[in-house]
Each structure stands twice: as structure tokens, then as C-alpha cells.
Amino acid sequence: MSRTITSGFRAQATGRHVKPVYLAQFFFDSETLRFWNGSGDFIYDGDTYTGAGHLLKFDEINETQKIEARGMNFSLSGIPSSLLAIALAEEYQDRNVTLDLAFLDADDVVIADPYRFFSGKADVMSITDGAETATISLTAESDIIALLRINERRRTPEDQKLTYPSDTFFDSVAALQSREILWGGKV
């Protein structure tokens, strides 16, 4: 996989004083939740990331020479139990999830173009509820998984009407199967 990183990002990654931050985004229907691995609010590109510090965890990031669909597990602990109703009511499956690596300069400003480590779709959520706080874990599948899905569409009138109920494009296909068509001669 080619790496398209900016020269500023490369300089920070190989510099003597490195300040990495992770920016996680969870795109739900009601809102987009954004967290970073620091404390307090952090604003990047007009979006506010909530500081989760060590309460935000995710799997170790491994890469291979092969093109593989690798999933990732995210967990957020220390959530007040009162907020669990929101997590339980929200549709989460197949929603976008991203994880970016960014570097901060001496003034705690993000160096241009953070690197996208993970992009995928939310799959399974589990909640561990304690007396005062809870932990929410979310498993996400890589966007590459879409390449492995089998396309089960058919070129039939019935299949076309599942998506476009008033479309009649394929209605005459069955009649063409037994029709004799003469080319270049008198009819």
C-alpha cells in the first residue's frame, strides 16, 4: 500500500521531539462522536474532539504485505451509566469509524494531513455496566471487507424492481430468449 504523507508529517515522525495524538471518529445517525487520546477538548479542522485519555483504547495496529480486511476493536471506559440508554438506542451497525494518527507541533497545533490508520464500518457493540460507570466496546470491520462480499444481484425484472419499483428495463429480457432475429436479410 502506498503511503501518502506530507513532508511536515514525515519530519515530525522522524524528529527528536514527537507529539503523536490519535483522533477517533464514530459517525452515528444522531451525531458524530469524536475522541482523542489527551485531556480536555481538542479542536482540529473545525471539529471538537473530546479528551478520553487512557479511557479510549483500540487494538494494536498491524500491517502485512497482503491486502487483508482487518477489523479493529475500540473501547471507551468510565462512561456514566446514565448515558447507556443513548448507546442502546442508537443504530450503530454499518456506520463509519475512522482512526487517524496526527502529530502536534510545539504549539500543540496539528501538522497538516494526519494519517488515516483505519477506516471501516461498525459491526458489534458490547456494553459492560458497573455500579457507577460502564465500558462500551465496538468492533469495526475494515472497508476492504466490502471487496469480499458477493454481489447477489440478478438481471431480472424482479430484482430490478427491488431497487426501482417503476423501472421496466428488464421486462422484455425473457421474451428475447426464444426470439429469432434475422440480420442483414429481408424480413
Side-chain angles (χ1 to χ4, degrees), residues 2 62 82 125 157 162 178:
S2 67
N62 295 316
S82 61
M125 182 185 294
L162 290 173
S178 60

Side-chain angles (χ1 to χ4, degrees), residues 76-88 127-136:
L76 185 62
S77 58
I79 299 168
S81 295
S82 61
L83 296 178
L84 284 183
I86 296 169
L88 292 170
I127 298 173
T128 306
D129 193 10
E132 298 286 324
T133 62
T135 299
I136 296 178

Side-chain angles (χ1 to χ4, degrees), residues 11 13-14 25-26 29 32 55 86 90 100 114 117-118 132 134-135 141 150 155 157 170 179 185-186:
T14 58
Q25 298 184 89
F26 304 91
D29 291 343
T32 299
L55 302 177
I86 296 169
E90 184 73 41
D100 297 337
F117 260 118
F118 180 81
E132 298 286 324
T135 299
E141 293 294 333
I150 297 172
R155 304 299 184 246
F170 287 111
R179 186 167 203 164
K186 292 183 181 181

Side-chain angles (χ1 to χ4, degrees), residues 4-20:
T4 53
I5 57 176
T6 63
S7 59
F9 187 94
R10 184 176 289 116
Q12 284 294 319
T14 58
R16 294 187 76 170
H17 302 286
V18 179
K19 293 169 96 176

Side-chain angles (χ1 to χ4, degrees), residues 146-155 159:
L147 298 174
L148 302 175
R149 289 191 184 120
I150 297 172
N151 183 0
E152 301 236 355
R153 298 296 308 260
R154 305 286 186 248
R155 304 299 184 246
D159 188 64

